[in-house]
Amino acid sequence: MSDAPILELRRLDAHYGDFQALFSVSMTIARGSIVSIVGANGAGKSTLLKTIAGLMPTREDAVLFDGQPIGSEPAFKVAARGIALVPEGRKLFPSLSVEENLMIGGQTKRPGNWTLSRIYDLFPILGERRRAPATSLSGGQQQMAAIGRALMSNPQILLCDEISLGLAPIVIRDIYARLPDIAAGGLSVVIVEQDVMQAMRAANHIYCLQEGRVTLNAPTGSLSRDEVTAAYFGV
Ligand code: ATP
């Protein structure tokens, strides 16, 4: 496996019309790493994931995937390259069953070894409820299904937007406990998280965004909670 990063952001800007949401954001995502992005409401975390996923335009050379500039590619091309987004709010297809939702993730036809049975090994409850409508699942189960659907595309990078939002602590622990298994095969995982402690526990590396700018970029092992909190609130 190459040591070159799977994803690099170089001075990335993002705008909503005249409003600039991200300012010169630079990041490096190593292969097989788990990276957390923390920041307060409105810091630009979702905008960043949407920009990487091709849902918002940016400069061509602001996003390098496997060394190739992809910043102006549309979302379907970015997905075909192996960047999968687990969107905030899960966005499952409500009229479809759990299994049908998972199979939609497999439509990209990328090579790899994520199968329905591997997803059911990872999240056994999804196997038990595979014929149930997605809407009948609990919030935590829906989050598992959204992660499973993204994994079915055999991505090289999994972008997870606020996977703990609205979930009970025990469910959050259960989902986070699976991340090392997910990353074990060399997949990189980027998680947007508001809970600093959760983000530090889960990740090898952490970035903090404040008002669209990176205020912290460090390996989690070397950091204290106070340092992250200071970057989070800009104190
Ligand atoms: P949250 O945790 O609340 O989701 P966030 O860190 O993900 O926050 P973003 O949703 O990326 O932040 O928002 C960054 C900035 O961009 C905010 O000032 C927000 O108001 C603005 N913004 C987000 N979406 C839009 C939009 N569709 N149109 C205009 N401005 C937007």
mmCIF file of all heavy atoms in Angstrom, residues 99-123:
data_model
loop_
_atom_site.group_PDB
_atom_site.id
_atom_site.type_symbol
_atom_site.label_atom_id
_atom_site.label_comp_id
_atom_site.label_asym_id
_atom_site.label_seq_id
_atom_site.Cartn_x
_atom_site.Cartn_y
_atom_site.Cartn_z
ATOM 1 N N GLU A 99 -32.595 -4.039 3.483
ATOM 2 C CA GLU A 99 -31.711 -4.689 2.504
ATOM 3 C C GLU A 99 -31.704 -3.939 1.169
ATOM 4 O O GLU A 99 -30.660 -3.799 0.525
ATOM 5 C CB GLU A 99 -32.133 -6.141 2.303
ATOM 6 C CG GLU A 99 -31.133 -6.924 1.487
ATOM 7 C CD GLU A 99 -31.167 -8.405 1.811
ATOM 8 O OE1 GLU A 99 -30.819 -8.779 2.949
ATOM 9 O OE2 GLU A 99 -31.559 -9.184 0.928
ATOM 10 N N GLU A 100 -32.879 -3.440 0.759
ATOM 11 C CA GLU A 100 -32.928 -2.685 -0.503
ATOM 12 C C GLU A 100 -32.103 -1.407 -0.389
ATOM 13 O O GLU A 100 -31.406 -1.014 -1.336
ATOM 14 C CB GLU A 100 -34.379 -2.366 -0.867
ATOM 15 C CG GLU A 100 -35.138 -3.577 -1.365
ATOM 16 C CD GLU A 100 -36.647 -3.403 -1.367
ATOM 17 O OE1 GLU A 100 -37.180 -2.509 -0.655
ATOM 18 O OE2 GLU A 100 -37.315 -4.184 -2.059
ATOM 19 N N ASN A 101 -32.159 -0.766 0.775
ATOM 20 C CA ASN A 101 -31.316 0.424 0.976
ATOM 21 C C ASN A 101 -29.843 0.065 0.851
ATOM 22 O O ASN A 101 -29.066 0.782 0.214
ATOM 23 C CB ASN A 101 -31.585 1.042 2.348
ATOM 24 C CG ASN A 101 -32.633 2.127 2.306
ATOM 25 O OD1 ASN A 101 -32.336 3.270 1.924
ATOM 26 N ND2 ASN A 101 -33.869 1.782 2.653
ATOM 27 N N LEU A 102 -29.457 -1.058 1.454
ATOM 28 C CA LEU A 102 -28.047 -1.465 1.385
ATOM 29 C C LEU A 102 -27.647 -1.764 -0.059
ATOM 30 O O LEU A 102 -26.558 -1.391 -0.503
ATOM 31 C CB LEU A 102 -27.813 -2.704 2.254
ATOM 32 C CG LEU A 102 -27.984 -2.508 3.763
ATOM 33 C CD1 LEU A 102 -27.831 -3.843 4.483
ATOM 34 C CD2 LEU A 102 -26.974 -1.516 4.305
ATOM 35 N N MET A 103 -28.560 -2.408 -0.786
ATOM 36 C CA MET A 103 -28.209 -2.791 -2.164
ATOM 37 C C MET A 103 -28.055 -1.575 -3.070
ATOM 38 O O MET A 103 -27.282 -1.604 -4.035
ATOM 39 C CB MET A 103 -29.251 -3.766 -2.714
ATOM 40 C CG MET A 103 -29.043 -5.151 -2.090
ATOM 41 S SD MET A 103 -30.370 -6.273 -2.378
ATOM 42 C CE MET A 103 -30.224 -6.532 -4.117
ATOM 43 N N ILE A 104 -28.752 -0.503 -2.744
ATOM 44 C CA ILE A 104 -28.578 0.726 -3.530
ATOM 45 C C ILE A 104 -27.132 1.211 -3.423
ATOM 46 O O ILE A 104 -26.547 1.679 -4.394
ATOM 47 C CB ILE A 104 -29.594 1.798 -3.076
ATOM 48 C CG1 ILE A 104 -30.933 1.440 -3.708
ATOM 49 C CG2 ILE A 104 -29.146 3.204 -3.468
ATOM 50 C CD1 ILE A 104 -32.070 2.316 -3.318
ATOM 51 N N GLY A 105 -26.544 1.040 -2.253
ATOM 52 C CA GLY A 105 -25.134 1.409 -2.091
ATOM 53 C C GLY A 105 -24.224 0.602 -3.001
ATOM 54 O O GLY A 105 -23.158 1.070 -3.407
ATOM 55 N N GLY A 106 -24.645 -0.617 -3.329
ATOM 56 C CA GLY A 106 -23.825 -1.486 -4.176
ATOM 57 C C GLY A 106 -23.908 -1.149 -5.650
ATOM 58 O O GLY A 106 -23.199 -1.744 -6.470
ATOM 59 N N GLN A 107 -24.750 -0.175 -6.001
ATOM 60 C CA GLN A 107 -24.947 0.152 -7.425
ATOM 61 C C GLN A 107 -23.711 0.750 -8.091
ATOM 62 O O GLN A 107 -23.627 0.792 -9.309
ATOM 63 C CB GLN A 107 -26.105 1.145 -7.603
ATOM 64 C CG GLN A 107 -27.459 0.625 -7.181
ATOM 65 C CD GLN A 107 -27.907 -0.538 -8.038
ATOM 66 O OE1 GLN A 107 -27.859 -0.484 -9.249
ATOM 67 N NE2 GLN A 107 -28.323 -1.619 -7.391
ATOM 68 N N THR A 108 -22.770 1.262 -7.309
ATOM 69 C CA THR A 108 -21.599 1.884 -7.947
ATOM 70 C C THR A 108 -20.702 0.843 -8.634
ATOM 71 O O THR A 108 -19.869 1.203 -9.457
ATOM 72 C CB THR A 108 -20.713 2.648 -6.931
ATOM 73 O OG1 THR A 108 -20.328 1.724 -5.941
ATOM 74 C CG2 THR A 108 -21.400 3.842 -6.334
ATOM 75 N N LYS A 109 -20.881 -0.433 -8.261
ATOM 76 C CA LYS A 109 -20.131 -1.532 -8.900
ATOM 77 C C LYS A 109 -18.617 -1.366 -8.773
ATOM 78 O O LYS A 109 -17.865 -1.749 -9.657
ATOM 79 C CB LYS A 109 -20.492 -1.662 -10.393
ATOM 80 C CG LYS A 109 -21.959 -1.782 -10.689
ATOM 81 C CD LYS A 109 -22.345 -3.259 -10.837
ATOM 82 C CE LYS A 109 -23.790 -3.458 -11.271
ATOM 83 N NZ LYS A 109 -24.786 -3.261 -10.256
ATOM 84 N N ARG A 110 -18.198 -0.745 -7.692
ATOM 85 C CA ARG A 110 -16.752 -0.690 -7.472
ATOM 86 C C ARG A 110 -16.275 -2.050 -6.961
ATOM 87 O O ARG A 110 -16.989 -2.721 -6.218
ATOM 88 C CB ARG A 110 -16.436 0.388 -6.420
ATOM 89 C CG ARG A 110 -16.569 1.819 -6.941
ATOM 90 C CD ARG A 110 -16.250 2.813 -5.841
ATOM 91 N NE ARG A 110 -15.100 2.393 -5.062
ATOM 92 C CZ ARG A 110 -13.834 2.509 -5.456
ATOM 93 N NH1 ARG A 110 -13.555 3.084 -6.587
ATOM 94 N NH2 ARG A 110 -12.842 2.078 -4.698
ATOM 95 N N PRO A 111 -15.059 -2.452 -7.335
ATOM 96 C CA PRO A 111 -14.573 -3.737 -6.839
ATOM 97 C C PRO A 111 -14.284 -3.662 -5.339
ATOM 98 O O PRO A 111 -13.950 -2.596 -4.827
ATOM 99 C CB PRO A 111 -13.278 -3.946 -7.633
ATOM 100 C CG PRO A 111 -12.850 -2.583 -8.044
ATOM 101 C CD PRO A 111 -14.093 -1.763 -8.194
ATOM 102 N N GLY A 112 -14.417 -4.787 -4.660
ATOM 103 C CA GLY A 112 -14.134 -4.785 -3.229
ATOM 104 C C GLY A 112 -14.864 -5.918 -2.555
ATOM 105 O O GLY A 112 -15.590 -6.661 -3.207
ATOM 106 N N ASN A 113 -14.665 -6.055 -1.241
ATOM 107 C CA ASN A 113 -15.254 -7.221 -0.594
ATOM 108 C C ASN A 113 -16.318 -6.894 0.446
ATOM 109 O O ASN A 113 -16.582 -7.684 1.340
ATOM 110 C CB ASN A 113 -14.163 -8.125 -0.008
ATOM 111 C CG ASN A 113 -13.216 -7.349 0.865
ATOM 112 O OD1 ASN A 113 -13.536 -6.217 1.244
ATOM 113 N ND2 ASN A 113 -12.072 -7.915 1.185
ATOM 114 N N TRP A 114 -16.948 -5.694 0.307
ATOM 115 C CA TRP A 114 -18.094 -5.432 1.170
ATOM 116 C C TRP A 114 -19.334 -6.072 0.535
ATOM 117 O O TRP A 114 -19.671 -5.776 -0.612
ATOM 118 C CB TRP A 114 -18.325 -3.927 1.357
ATOM 119 C CG TRP A 114 -17.361 -3.346 2.344
ATOM 120 C CD1 TRP A 114 -16.240 -2.630 2.061
ATOM 121 C CD2 TRP A 114 -17.411 -3.471 3.767
ATOM 122 N NE1 TRP A 114 -15.582 -2.298 3.220
ATOM 123 C CE2 TRP A 114 -16.283 -2.803 4.281
ATOM 124 C CE3 TRP A 114 -18.287 -4.086 4.670
ATOM 125 C CZ2 TRP A 114 -16.013 -2.720 5.645
ATOM 126 C CZ3 TRP A 114 -18.024 -4.001 6.032
ATOM 127 C CH2 TRP A 114 -16.897 -3.327 6.508
ATOM 128 N N THR A 115 -19.956 -6.970 1.273
ATOM 129 C CA THR A 115 -21.155 -7.667 0.799
ATOM 130 C C THR A 115 -22.241 -7.496 1.853
ATOM 131 O O THR A 115 -21.960 -7.057 2.981
ATOM 132 C CB THR A 115 -20.870 -9.168 0.666
ATOM 133 O OG1 THR A 115 -20.429 -9.630 1.959
ATOM 134 C CG2 THR A 115 -19.795 -9.459 -0.373
ATOM 135 N N LEU A 116 -23.467 -7.902 1.495
ATOM 136 C CA LEU A 116 -24.546 -7.836 2.485
ATOM 137 C C LEU A 116 -24.166 -8.632 3.733
ATOM 138 O O LEU A 116 -24.344 -8.159 4.856
ATOM 139 C CB LEU A 116 -25.839 -8.407 1.890
ATOM 140 C CG LEU A 116 -26.576 -7.518 0.895
ATOM 141 C CD1 LEU A 116 -27.737 -8.288 0.268
ATOM 142 C CD2 LEU A 116 -27.093 -6.239 1.565
ATOM 143 N N SER A 117 -23.588 -9.824 3.531
ATOM 144 C CA SER A 117 -23.323 -10.647 4.722
ATOM 145 C C SER A 117 -22.233 -10.018 5.587
ATOM 146 O O SER A 117 -22.268 -10.114 6.813
ATOM 147 C CB SER A 117 -23.003 -12.092 4.348
ATOM 148 O OG SER A 117 -21.803 -12.142 3.656
ATOM 149 N N ARG A 118 -21.298 -9.308 4.974
ATOM 150 C CA ARG A 118 -20.269 -8.646 5.784
ATOM 151 C C ARG A 118 -20.877 -7.473 6.565
ATOM 152 O O ARG A 118 -20.497 -7.215 7.704
ATOM 153 C CB ARG A 118 -19.131 -8.170 4.868
ATOM 154 C CG ARG A 118 -17.890 -7.903 5.643
ATOM 155 C CD ARG A 118 -16.659 -7.791 4.786
ATOM 156 N NE ARG A 118 -15.663 -7.043 5.532
ATOM 157 C CZ ARG A 118 -14.803 -6.197 5.005
ATOM 158 N NH1 ARG A 118 -14.779 -5.998 3.685
ATOM 159 N NH2 ARG A 118 -13.954 -5.544 5.762
ATOM 160 N N ILE A 119 -21.820 -6.766 5.924
ATOM 161 C CA ILE A 119 -22.505 -5.677 6.649
ATOM 162 C C ILE A 119 -23.304 -6.261 7.824
ATOM 163 O O ILE A 119 -23.323 -5.707 8.924
ATOM 164 C CB ILE A 119 -23.468 -4.913 5.697
ATOM 165 C CG1 ILE A 119 -22.726 -4.319 4.498
ATOM 166 C CG2 ILE A 119 -24.250 -3.830 6.466
ATOM 167 C CD1 ILE A 119 -21.759 -3.219 4.787
ATOM 168 N N TYR A 120 -23.941 -7.427 7.590
ATOM 169 C CA TYR A 120 -24.730 -8.040 8.667
ATOM 170 C C TYR A 120 -23.823 -8.592 9.778
ATOM 171 O O TYR A 120 -24.231 -8.668 10.934
ATOM 172 C CB TYR A 120 -25.641 -9.143 8.113
ATOM 173 C CG TYR A 120 -26.694 -8.629 7.143
ATOM 174 C CD1 TYR A 120 -27.184 -9.427 6.115
ATOM 175 C CD2 TYR A 120 -27.197 -7.336 7.266
ATOM 176 C CE1 TYR A 120 -28.144 -8.962 5.229
ATOM 177 C CE2 TYR A 120 -28.156 -6.855 6.386
ATOM 178 C CZ TYR A 120 -28.620 -7.665 5.365
ATOM 179 O OH TYR A 120 -29.567 -7.187 4.502
ATOM 180 N N ASP A 121 -22.606 -8.966 9.436
ATOM 181 C CA ASP A 121 -21.655 -9.365 10.493
ATOM 182 C C ASP A 121 -21.257 -8.146 11.328
ATOM 183 O O ASP A 121 -21.093 -8.231 12.536
ATOM 184 C CB ASP A 121 -20.368 -9.945 9.879
ATOM 185 C CG ASP A 121 -20.591 -11.347 9.353
ATOM 186 O OD1 ASP A 121 -21.620 -11.951 9.711
ATOM 187 O OD2 ASP A 121 -19.750 -11.815 8.568
ATOM 188 N N LEU A 122 -21.093 -7.012 10.635
ATOM 189 C CA LEU A 122 -20.684 -5.783 11.322
ATOM 190 C C LEU A 122 -21.805 -5.261 12.221
ATOM 191 O O LEU A 122 -21.572 -4.856 13.358
ATOM 192 C CB LEU A 122 -20.326 -4.737 10.254
ATOM 193 C CG LEU A 122 -19.681 -3.442 10.691
ATOM 194 C CD1 LEU A 122 -18.257 -3.679 11.172
ATOM 195 C CD2 LEU A 122 -19.667 -2.438 9.530
ATOM 196 N N PHE A 123 -23.024 -5.248 11.664
ATOM 197 C CA PHE A 123 -24.198 -4.758 12.410
ATOM 198 C C PHE A 123 -25.279 -5.854 12.372
ATOM 199 O O PHE A 123 -26.180 -5.813 11.527
ATOM 200 C CB PHE A 123 -24.749 -3.486 11.757
ATOM 201 C CG PHE A 123 -23.812 -2.310 11.744
ATOM 202 C CD1 PHE A 123 -23.401 -1.738 10.545
ATOM 203 C CD2 PHE A 123 -23.365 -1.732 12.925
ATOM 204 C CE1 PHE A 123 -22.549 -0.640 10.527
ATOM 205 C CE2 PHE A 123 -22.511 -0.625 12.914
ATOM 206 C CZ PHE A 123 -22.100 -0.080 11.720
#
